[in-house]
Amino acid sequence: MNKLYTLLFVLVAVSFTASAQKESDARVIVITTDGYRWQELFNGIDTSIVKIKRFHHGDSARLIQQYYAPTVQERREKLMPFFWGKLAAAGQIHGNRAAGSQVDNANPYWFSYPGYSEILTGQVDTAVNSNDYKPNPNTNFFEYLNSLPAYKGKVAAFGAWDAFDRILNEKRAGFPVVNAFDSYPELEKDPEMKMLAKMLKESFKPFGMAEPIDAFTHFKAMHYLKKNKPKALYISYGETDEFAHEGAYNHYLDAAHQFDAWVGEIWDFVNTDPDYKGKTTLLITTDHGRGDANKYQWTSHGEKVKDCYQIWYAMIGANVQALGEVKSVEKVYQKELIHKAAKAIGVTFKSEVK
């Protein structure tokens, strides 16, 4: 009988050790694209916007040829082939309100800093009510992970917008937040990072000094991902919002199409690299929605613009059920999303004020 108890104890101990090892080896990547509407994600090109000259900027024929198709399914596949190919097959996509899936901001403001704060802290702080808000007093998910032995020193963030230093409170959080035109001498000891930094500094700056074009953010993040192998990574793209504000629907669609391709590149890498394959969860979403097309308000957002709280999210990877496009009735808030990612990697996170 004593031998039996000993054997059971050994089996339980081995099982617990294996489970703990599996949990500590889990990886997570959160990806956002700023202000991208659920309407285009689920329906593809919006022809009611394309037909307006001041929005297509003389590019309507090319847009129709590249992105239009007779059916909604074909249109969205042409605009975002990765989402509606590999991701829909192996993951889940939420937010098609026409099918009953509602994903909403919980914060009442419907613009960027409050939206990103809600995503990254997993709760709403109504004091966070400006894009110029001070460094976030609320701890974020990546900050929490960086405090855990399994993730310490293996966390990083790359964001197009220069506000991420404040949103993620880089000085307090203790991990690199590479955003906008930041210079990181330590990272730039790497020749490729140095070249990207030089190109960034000398590049065309259509959005001023607050934000570069997304290619720089993406290539920096991808190089870091491949070389440094972080266990927790955040990447935020910005062009979908910038071009929408400019009323450039042609560039907005192209930015969404490119974003889709970049998410696909990230997934293909983590799904084949032995350090990430089978261990990595991806959460993809946006900070806020935009106005309706029929009122010419698609270029804007905020609490005074109707329906800008309407967003979407997608997940794929380890511990993510392959639901495809969710067409059942559901109500999900933005503040819940990071907790879904946390659950997938086996941690429990709660934001604190510091």
Side-chain angles (χ1 to χ4, degrees):
M1 185 65 72
N2 288 337
K3 289 183 179 180
L4 179 59
Y5 285 141
T6 301
L7 178 60
L8 287 172
F9 176 82
V10 170
L11 290 173
V12 169
V14 169
S15 176
F16 178 82
T17 302
S19 177
Q21 176 61 34
K22 183 179 180 181
E23 178 180 314
S24 68
D25 206 30
R27 287 154 165 74
V28 62
I29 301 176
V30 177
I31 308 168
T32 56
T33 187
D34 200 302
Y36 183 48
R37 300 196 316 161
W38 69 269
Q39 289 92 330
E40 278 80 18
L41 173 59
F42 290 98
N43 301 318
I45 187 172
D46 189 329
T47 55
S48 69
I49 298 176
V50 172
K51 67 183 182 182
I52 301 169
K53 187 175 182 179
R54 65 175 172 144
F55 293 147
H56 67 63
H57 298 267
D59 203 14
S60 59
R62 194 268 301 180
L63 293 179
I64 293 297
Q65 181 180 21
Q66 184 171 353
Y67 298 124
Y68 182 75
T71 69
V72 166
Q73 184 68 33
E74 291 174 296
R75 289 196 294 273
R76 67 188 190 181
E77 287 176 0
K78 291 184 78 171
L79 181 60
M80 304 193 75
F82 170 73
F83 265 70
W84 297 110
K86 291 182 180 179
L87 199 159
Q92 50 189 254
I93 308 175
H94 303 252
N96 188 350
R97 306 182 83 85
S101 174
Q102 298 183 22
V103 186
D104 295 350
N105 286 123
N107 79 80
Y109 304 118
W110 314 344
F111 59 88
S112 291
Y113 194 136
Y116 288 123
S117 181
E118 183 178 340
I119 293 169
L120 296 166
T121 68
Q123 50 93 46
V124 174
D125 180 353
T126 54
V128 179
N129 60 2
S130 167
N131 280 344
D132 297 320
Y133 194 74
K134 65 184 180 180
N136 202 333
N138 305 286
T139 57
N140 64 76
F141 177 60
F142 291 94
E143 181 178 4
Y144 168 72
L145 290 181
N146 197 49
S147 73
L148 303 178
Y151 292 89
K152 186 69 176 178
K154 300 174 183 178
V155 178
F158 289 80
W161 190 28
D162 67 355
F164 280 107
D165 283 342
R166 290 177 285 118
I167 295 169
L168 290 166
N169 202 329
E170 181 179 20
K171 290 182 179 179
R172 187 193 66 213
F175 62 86
V177 180
V178 185
N179 58 194
F181 294 90
D182 280 352
S183 177
Y184 276 78
E186 191 62 32
L187 293 182
E188 289 161 22
K189 290 177 181 178
D190 173 89
E192 186 163 336
M193 278 294 198
K194 184 177 180 179
M195 176 58 72
L196 286 168
K198 178 176 171 60
M199 293 171 66
L200 175 65
K201 183 178 179 180
E202 299 175 10
S203 67
F204 174 53
K205 300 174 178 62
F207 314 128
M209 295 303 294
E211 188 173 315
I213 59 176
D214 281 340
F216 291 107
T217 300
H218 176 75
F219 282 100
K220 280 187 172 186
M222 281 303 300
H223 181 68
Y224 190 93
L225 177 64
K226 292 176 179 179
K227 182 175 181 179
N228 297 79
K229 300 292 183 74
K231 294 178 71 172
L233 180 65
Y234 175 53
I235 310 173
S236 181
Y237 302 91
E239 286 183 2
T240 42
D241 187 69
E242 294 290 350
F243 289 130
H245 281 304
E246 292 180 1
Y249 196 61
N250 49 344
H251 297 327
Y252 168 82
L253 291 178
D254 290 340
H257 185 64
Q258 184 61 70
F259 169 74
D260 173 86
W262 282 334
V263 175
E265 182 185 353
I266 294 166
W267 172 247
D268 287 344
F269 172 72
V270 302
N271 198 41
T272 54
D273 184 274
D275 290 323
Y276 289 95
K277 186 176 181 180
K279 309 169 187 174
T280 308
T281 302
L282 270 62
L283 166 66
I284 310 124
T285 188
T286 190
D287 53 334
H288 56 74
R290 314 197 74 82
D292 297 328
N294 60 356
K295 294 183 179 179
Y296 292 4
Q297 290 186 319
W298 75 274
T299 64
S300 191
H301 57 87
E303 56 192 297
K304 294 182 179 179
V305 180
K306 184 181 177 183
D307 298 337
C308 294
Y309 61 88
Q310 299 175 357
I311 59 170
W312 54 269
Y313 80 95
M315 294 184 73
I316 189 172
N319 301 315
V320 176
Q321 190 176 356
L323 302 176
E325 178 187 2
V326 175
K327 295 182 178 181
S328 56
V329 175
E330 62 174 349
K331 182 82 164 186
V332 182
Y333 287 102
Q334 188 177 52
K335 64 182 180 180
E336 301 172 38
L337 304 185
I338 208 69
H339 299 291
K340 294 178 183 294
K343 182 178 180 181
I345 65 169
V347 301
T348 300
F349 163 65
K350 183 176 181 180
S351 184
E352 299 178 353
V353 177
K354 291 189 176 181

